[in-house]
Amino acid sequence: LAPPGEVLRLRRALYGLRQAGRAWSKRLEKDLGSKGFKQSDADPAMWILHGPGGAVFSVFYVDDGLVAALTGKDADQLVQLIASTFELRALGEPVDFLGIRITRDRAAGTLTIDQSTLSGNTADDDGGGVFNDGGTLTITQSTIANNSATDEGGGVYNEDGTATVERSTIANNSATDDG
C-alpha cells in the first residue's frame, strides 16, 4: 500500500462506487459497439444488433442482462457473442428480470411482461404495500404479500379513492395502525 501521507489512484472503477455505473456503460459502449451493436436512443441500457435474421436485443442493468431475438438460434448466437467479451452465466428462459415478471405461452404465441408482484417492502409511515390517497386504484392478477408499514397501508390502503381488485392475492401484510 501507499506510505503514510500518500494517496493511491485507482485505475479502474470498483463495483459499488459512484463511478462504477459510468465505467460499465463506457465498457459496454466500447466492447459491444465494436461488435456492431447500436445503443438504443429510447433506453441507454438497451443494445441492438441488426443481422440477417432481424434485430436482436440485449439489455444490461448493472450485472444483470437479458437477450431477445426472433429465434432461439439467434438468441444463442447473441449470448455467445456477448460471452466472447464478458464472463456470464446463461440462466435459460427468463421468468423475472429486475422485478418484472415475464410469462410466455408458446402455444398461444403470447409474451406477457408485467410488474405485478409487490413483496417484502417496509415503510416507516404509510404505504408498505399499496397506498392510494384519493385516486383510482386497479389491481388485477397481482400478488401483494409480506409488506409492512408502521402506520397505515401494510398491504393495500385505500383512502378517499376508488379501488378495484380482481383475481389477486393479498396476504401476510401488516401495519401497526389501520392497514
Side-chain angles (χ1 to χ4, degrees):
L1 289 172
E6 291 189 20
V7 177
L8 293 175
R9 179 174 179 228
L10 292 174
R11 293 187 180 193
R12 58 193 262 185
L14 298 176
Y15 185 84
L17 292 180
R18 212 178 322 176
Q19 301 85 358
R22 183 174 188 277
W24 176 240
S25 179
K26 290 291 184 192
R27 170 98 190 261
L28 285 173
E29 188 177 317
K30 175 181 161 267
D31 292 338
L32 294 179
S34 71
K35 295 184 183 316
F37 283 85
K38 301 291 183 205
Q39 195 171 23
S40 168
D41 292 332
D43 186 346
M46 180 182 289
W47 293 84
I48 305 165
L49 179 64
H50 294 279
V56 291
F57 303 89
S58 59
V59 177
F60 295 98
Y61 183 78
V62 187
D63 58 356
D64 291 316
L66 186 66
V67 300
L70 289 176
T71 68
K73 179 182 173 187
D74 287 343
D76 290 341
Q77 287 176 341
L78 178 57
V79 169
Q80 289 173 359
L81 183 66
I82 295 168
S84 70
T85 302
F86 302 103
E87 182 180 331
L88 63 85
R89 289 181 310 163
L91 301 176
E93 195 166 294
V95 293
D96 181 79
F97 182 70
L98 303 174
I100 299 169
R101 183 174 59 182
I102 303 168
T103 308
R104 184 174 193 156
D105 183 343
R106 290 184 185 276
T110 62
L111 179 68
T112 304
I113 301 172
D114 61 36
Q115 199 167 5
S116 61
T117 300
L118 183 60
S119 178
N121 295 297
T122 302
D124 289 331
D125 192 19
D126 297 335
V130 176
F131 185 86
N132 181 34
D133 189 9
T136 300
L137 172 65
T138 303
I139 301 171
T140 305
Q141 294 182 335
S142 300
T143 301
I144 300 171
N146 304 313
N147 299 291
S148 64
T150 58
D151 193 14
E152 300 171 334
V156 175
Y157 186 82
N158 184 55
E159 181 176 326
D160 299 326
T162 303
T164 304
V165 180
E166 299 175 345
R167 300 180 311 278
S168 297
T169 302
I170 301 173
N172 301 322
N173 299 288
S174 64
T176 56
D177 193 12
D178 298 321

